[in-house]
Each structure stands twice: as C-alpha cells, then as structure tokens.
Amino acid sequence: MNQHYFLLICQLGMGLFWIITYILIIKRGFQDKKYGMPMVALCANISWEFIFTFIYPQNDLQKIITFLWFLLDMVILLQYLKYGPKEYKKIMSPKLFYASFLITLSVSFLIILVMTQELNDIEGKYAAFSQNLMMSGLFISLLFWRGNTDGQSMFIAVCKMIGTLFASVAFFIYFRTPLITIMSIATFIVDWLYIVLLYRVYRRKINFRRG
C-alpha cells in the first residue's frame, strides 16, 4: 500500500476512534451523572487540542480532527465541573475544587507549550504520546477511586486503545523514535490492564446480582 494512503488511514482511524471515545464518555457521563475523564488528563487534553488547533495548527485534516476533539472535550469539561464537586465534597469545598482545576489547567497548558518549543516539536507528538500514557494510568486510578464503572465502560476503553494503536503503528513504521516507541508499548499494556480490570469489575457486579 502506498505510504500516503496508509498514513491517511491511520490518521482517520485515530481521529474516528478517539471521537467515538469522547462521545461515549459524554453519553456515559450524562447517564451516570459522573465525569468520565480524570482532571489531569482532561486538562492536558484540552491544552494540547487548543495549542495544536490555534497556535500550532497542523495540516488541514488533522486541524479539523483536533478541533472536533477540542469541542467534545469542552463538553466533558462541563461534565467535570458540574458533577465533580459532589464527588469530592468530603475532601474539598467547591471553591477549592474549582481552584485546583484552574491551576492544573494553567500548568498543563504551560508545560505542553514549553515542551513544544524546547523540543521543537510543532506536531505535538511527544506531548500527545506522553499524556496518552498518563491518561491510561489515570483511568485505572479513577476505577480504583470509585470502586465501580460509573462514567466508564468497556466500549470507551476499547475505542481508546484502538485509536491509540492507529497512531502508534503509523509512528512506529514511518517516524520511529525510541521514546515514542516505548511510550506506545507502555500505553498498549496499560490499556489492556484497564480493560482486564474493567472486565473484573463487571463480572463482580454480575455475580453480586446473581447471588
């Protein structure tokens, strides 16, 4: 297959499955009245998408994809701000909750922007792969924190993994760098672990109902 077409397929696959992931997070969030993405991951996502849509825009197709991600993440953000204070009311006041979010968002934005400039990475690939790995780990932390699947689902986990795989395969074949290769493999492993843990929680819930 022609390299151009293969990269296009990977780009479209990555964009589509991440769009599906975000839509499923939004849908599950409204159903459960819970936010579906951990705060740090959400702040990093929104920062990355803003920077690479408006400050360092990519090619036309990727710019459209990134902008769609940004719009969907804004809905996830609204869910976090709406449902989050109730979940954390035992450990922090609403004022502290919102303040911690603003601080985290500001720090995330500055780190990604400076990382882009210092590494001369106007495509944002190093920031994207590193925060994707972080997100995978934070989904597991969210599962442990709640002890249930509120705001999460197997479909979300699988679509996230597939979307990441499209990007990982493309970078491994055509733009191979040791750091991105390591982060890609690590993300795949953590995504699989997340799926296994979700499955166990679902099985425990089913067995509890039967019992």
Side-chain angles (χ1 to χ4, degrees):
M1 182 184 294
N2 182 282
Q3 176 180 338
H4 172 75
Y5 289 113
F6 181 80
L7 288 174
L8 181 61
I9 290 172
C10 288
Q11 186 178 22
L12 289 172
M14 173 193 67
L16 176 62
F17 275 95
W18 270 97
I19 286 172
I20 294 172
T21 299
Y22 290 154
I23 291 173
L24 291 174
I25 289 174
I26 292 168
K27 180 175 180 291
R28 189 62 186 261
F30 283 127
Q31 286 177 342
D32 296 340
K33 291 181 170 41
K34 295 276 189 175
Y35 65 86
M37 187 178 293
M39 180 185 68
V40 177
L42 177 60
C43 289
N45 262 17
I46 289 178
S47 298
W48 190 94
E49 290 154 1
F50 183 90
I51 289 169
F52 294 100
T53 297
F54 302 107
I55 301 178
Y56 295 108
Q58 306 303 300
N59 61 65
D60 291 341
L61 176 59
Q62 188 57 50
K63 184 177 180 179
I64 293 171
I65 292 172
T66 305
F67 183 62
L68 290 174
W69 290 344
F70 177 73
L71 292 179
L72 291 169
D73 261 333
M74 290 302 294
V75 179
I76 297 173
L77 165 62
L78 292 175
Q79 290 181 326
Y80 178 79
L81 296 178
K82 180 178 181 180
Y83 301 130
K86 183 178 180 180
E87 186 162 350
Y88 288 94
K89 65 181 180 179
K90 292 183 179 180
I91 59 176
M92 66 175 74
S93 66
K95 287 184 178 180
L96 183 58
F97 173 85
Y98 293 122
S100 66
F101 169 77
L102 289 174
I103 293 171
T104 305
L105 180 62
S106 301
V107 171
S108 298
F109 183 87
L110 289 174
I111 288 176
I112 294 172
L113 185 61
V114 172
M115 180 187 297
T116 300
Q117 295 169 347
E118 286 198 7
L119 297 179
N120 192 27
D121 180 28
I122 60 172
E123 297 161 341
K125 55 184 180 293
Y126 289 105
F129 277 90
S130 59
Q131 69 191 53
N132 192 14
L133 174 58
M134 174 186 67
M135 185 188 303
S136 297
L138 289 174
F139 272 123
I140 293 176
S141 296
L142 185 61
L143 184 64
F144 287 159
W145 164 265
R146 288 175 173 162
N148 56 51
T149 59
D150 286 353
Q152 304 175 75
S153 73
M154 190 66 72
F155 291 115
I156 293 171
V158 171
C159 286
K160 177 198 177 302
M161 184 182 69
I162 295 175
T164 301
L165 273 176
F166 272 108
S168 299
V169 169
F171 270 88
F172 180 76
I173 293 176
Y174 296 111
F175 312 104
R176 189 178 307 176
T177 69
L179 180 56
I180 288 181
T181 299
I182 292 171
M183 288 192 291
S184 297
I185 294 172
T187 303
F188 180 74
I189 293 171
V190 178
D191 282 344
W192 261 116
L193 177 60
Y194 179 49
I195 290 171
V196 170
L197 292 171
L198 271 176
Y199 174 77
R200 289 186 175 181
V201 173
Y202 278 120
R203 290 296 301 174
R204 185 179 64 191
K205 187 176 181 180
I206 293 172
N207 291 335
F208 177 78
R209 287 177 177 176
R210 288 176 178 174

